Amino acid sequence: MAVSYKKLFHLLVDRDMTAVQLQQQADYSANITTRLKKNAYISLESVEKICRALNCKVDDIVEFVTDDTEENQNDA
């Protein structure tokens, strides 16, 4: 399974907020913003900071998706 933060970026658009504004409000490093854009792992602590800043739940910003390599392994 892979993680996707597409829901987070949709939420930011809906709230007319940039990733940099969220970074400042949630008080995390620019590295986390980069990792979010690449759908890379971020700590649960960072997820919590984002949820607190946006007043939302984890499932409002994070989605688990099937990884293509995992799908190909299951077909073999």
Side-chain angles (χ1 to χ4, degrees):
M1 289 290 232
V3 67
S4 170
Y5 300 104
K6 191 182 294 187
K7 291 171 92 175
L8 169 61
F9 291 104
H10 285 289
L11 186 60
L12 290 178
V13 168
D14 289 345
R15 296 192 182 187
D16 195 29
M17 183 181 231
T18 67
V20 173
Q21 289 170 326
L22 175 61
Q23 177 184 322
Q24 292 168 345
Q25 190 173 336
D27 191 31
Y28 58 78
S29 71
N31 180 46
I32 299 298
T33 300
T34 301
R35 296 182 67 75
L36 289 167
K37 290 179 180 180
K38 293 181 177 182
N39 287 321
Y41 170 82
I42 64 168
S43 71
L44 190 54
E45 180 182 357
S46 297
V47 171
E48 180 182 1
K49 286 180 178 184
I50 292 168
C51 288
R52 287 182 186 274
L54 294 174
N55 192 28
C56 67
K57 295 184 250 177
V58 173
D59 62 342
D60 292 330
I61 63 169
V62 178
E63 182 177 31
F64 291 98
V65 294
T66 305
D67 189 355
D68 289 340
T69 56
E70 191 175 292
E71 216 173 79
N72 292 337
Q73 289 174 352
N74 290 337
D75 291 341

